[in-house]
Amino acid sequence: MRFLDSLRRLDAYPKIDNEFSIRTVSGAALTLISTIVIVTLVIGEINAYLSPNISEELFVDTTRGHKLKINLDFTIPRISCDYVSLDAQDSTGEQHLHIEHNIYKRRVDLHGNQIEEPKKEDIQASTKRIASTEDTACGSCYGAERNASQCCNTCQDVIDAYRERKWNPNVEDFEQCKNSKDGSVEGKAFSEGCHIYGTMEVNRVEGRFHIAPGKSFSINHIHVHDVQPYSSARFNTTHKINTLSFGEQFGFGTTRPLDGLMVEATEGAMMFQYYIKIVPTMFVPLNGPTLYTNQFSVTKHQKSVTAMSGETGMPGIFVNYELSPLMVKYTEKRNSFGHLATNVCAIIGGIFTVAGIIDSVLFTSIHVIRRKIELGKAS
């Protein structure tokens, strides 16, 4: 018994008999409010415990062997697919070699409705065409023929022969182009649009790609787009970026800041340039493999390249990208149960303590006021 009496003295929570306790309306209201606040905060803590926490690190990118995956989806509503091409180049201006891609073109009308099924685009396609074999007089190739038997009976035959020689064709000098009445391509150049979409994987180096009117070819290592028989000022490069990203999307971060961007060309021969800074990103989830992707920021510039403007360049959409030497690493982590228990105890204890102080102040104040009223001293 002496041990129990000694142990009883250690009780830090002395009890009060019910006959000495007073229950008040203000105490009941505080109890209900405190309970609601405690339940709300505890539920929030449980949700935070069950949701993974994201930690962020920044370090020098030392990864090797990863290709750069470019996901693109552009709509050019005012230029036919036959008169627009996509090219990808590295930082030196040379075309990327051994590109793995699934880029498709889909013809659409001026309202965006599909005209025919999409066709796969050959990014490094040659513009060669077999010489005409029709039984007509052999037309001159103006010095660009491969042999004496080659004939250039149409305007396109002469242009293709020049391209094979890597010469710049001037259609005004070709009799076939002056007399050409073939409007199969030219007739729909501005009467329909083009939807270009898909993915391509290139070497992980600084580079660029562009969507521009005309067929592309090279002259002395210089990339050229031939927009004949039209003047470049006639091309309306209004476009919509449905999607542009470099790698996979992982739910947060700035992986697709340009999605849904609609850009109107205020005049013909507008050149739109997007300068993109790519930040390699690694995402380590709680479960599953590590994801390597990229975030990016972008700066946009546009200008008119008509002869009257005095600016150099060509109409089209040009995307220049460079890679940051730093990598961002996101890691999912789960909070410990001890952290949850500590926060729950702090919430319950803190609210009951504050509520007790408020209740004590209210009870004392009300008791003092009543005593003054009873003694007639209330003023």
Side-chain angles (χ1 to χ4, degrees):
M1 293 297 292
R2 288 182 177 179
F3 173 75
L4 293 178
D5 292 338
S6 300
L7 184 62
R8 223 178 258 119
R9 294 191 185 97
L10 298 176
D11 186 2
Y13 307 99
K15 312 303 183 292
I16 300 176
D17 290 339
N18 289 335
E19 61 185 50
F20 297 109
S21 62
I22 300 174
R23 299 181 183 277
T24 62
V25 175
S26 61
L30 276 173
T31 300
L32 290 175
I33 294 172
S34 300
T35 302
I36 293 173
V37 173
I38 288 172
V39 170
T40 302
L41 295 180
V42 169
I43 291 175
E45 283 295 324
I46 293 175
N47 288 335
Y49 168 71
L50 297 177
S51 302
N53 186 31
I54 304 295
S55 66
E56 183 177 341
E57 302 174 63
L58 186 65
F59 55 89
V60 176
D61 182 15
T62 57
T63 57
R64 294 289 184 272
H66 294 287
K67 287 277 192 177
L68 182 61
K69 183 179 181 181
I70 304 176
N71 309 299
L72 59 93
D73 188 333
F74 284 69
T75 300
I76 321 309
R78 296 293 180 267
I79 306 177
S80 166
C81 284
D82 293 315
Y83 254 87
V84 69
S85 60
L86 169 67
D87 294 287
Q89 300 169 299
D90 58 24
S91 57
T92 63
E94 295 292 333
Q95 280 192 313
H96 279 289
L97 299 177
H98 312 297
I99 292 181
E100 298 178 11
H101 74 92
N102 288 295
I103 301 293
Y104 292 87
K105 282 183 179 180
R106 178 190 285 123
R107 291 174 57 202
V108 295
D109 61 23
L110 297 179
H111 302 288
N113 301 314
Q114 177 177 314
I115 295 177
E116 64 180 14
E117 292 300 315
K119 296 179 180 179
K120 189 170 183 179
E121 168 81 339
D122 190 349
I123 295 178
Q124 302 182 74
S126 170
T127 55
K128 295 179 181 179
R129 180 182 293 182
I130 300 174
S132 174
T133 56
E134 296 179 3
D135 187 17
T136 58
C138 184
S140 171
C141 294
Y142 299 88
E145 59 272 2
R146 295 188 304 273
N147 49 61
S149 61
Q150 181 178 356
C151 299
C152 296
N153 295 326
T154 67
C155 177
Q156 190 62 49
D157 290 340
V158 182
I159 293 173
D160 289 345
Y162 266 64
R163 286 172 181 161
E164 291 180 25
R165 292 277 193 175
K166 296 185 178 181
W167 296 350
N168 189 15
N170 186 1
V171 297
E172 295 179 357
D173 298 334
F174 305 149
E175 196 66 29
Q176 293 92 327
C177 295
K178 295 178 183 179
N179 299 328
S180 176
K181 297 181 181 179
D182 182 12
S184 58
V185 174
E186 289 78 358
K188 62 185 179 183
F190 307 113
S191 61
E192 61 186 43
C194 188
H195 181 203
I196 301 177
Y197 67 95
T199 63
M200 57 182 175
E201 292 189 356
V202 299
N203 293 329
R204 199 177 182 83
V205 295
E206 178 183 348
R208 64 182 66 91
F209 68 88
H210 58 262
I211 300 173
K215 297 181 180 179
S216 62
F217 59 101
S218 297
I219 300 177
N220 297 327
H221 303 288
I222 299 175
H223 192 73
V224 178
H225 278 252
D226 177 20
V227 296
Q228 297 292 354
Y230 296 113
S231 165
S232 62
R234 294 188 60 184
F235 288 96
N236 184 335
T237 51
T238 294
H239 61 281
K240 181 179 181 182
I241 303 177
N242 303 305
T243 292
L244 178 61
S245 62
F246 299 83
E248 303 297 331
Q249 191 173 16
F250 59 97
F252 59 94
T254 54
T255 55
R256 299 185 176 186
L258 288 175
D259 282 17
L261 178 65
M262 183 71 190
V263 182
E264 293 283 346
T266 56
E267 55 184 295
M270 291 289 293
M271 182 179 187
F272 297 94
Q273 295 172 295
Y274 297 90
Y275 297 95
I276 289 177
K277 185 74 171 183
I278 298 175
V279 180
T281 302
M282 180 167 57
F283 178 58
V284 184
L286 282 173
N287 302 306
T290 299
L291 173 66
Y292 291 91
T293 184
N294 301 279
Q295 301 181 83
F296 69 91
S297 60
V298 59
T299 302
K300 176 176 169 289
H301 177 69
Q302 66 185 57
K303 62 180 180 179
S304 173
V305 291
T306 58
M308 298 296 293
S309 68
E311 296 282 353
T312 59
M314 61 177 296
I317 302 103
F318 296 78
V319 178
N320 303 273
Y321 57 86
E322 59 176 314
L323 293 161
S324 169
L326 300 178
M327 172 176 278
V328 178
K329 180 181 179 182
Y330 294 102
T331 306
E332 281 188 336
K333 296 180 180 179
R334 193 177 296 283
N335 295 323
S336 66
F337 181 77
H339 184 270
L340 171 66
T342 302
N343 286 355
V344 169
C345 291
I347 289 170
I348 296 174
I351 290 177
F352 265 117
T353 301
V354 173
I357 295 172
I358 295 174
D359 180 61
S360 178
V361 171
L362 287 175
F363 178 78
T364 302
S365 300
I366 293 172
H367 181 71
V368 170
I369 292 172
R370 282 180 179 177
R371 289 290 295 175
K372 286 185 177 183
I373 292 174
E374 290 174 357
L375 296 174
K377 295 182 179 180
S379 58

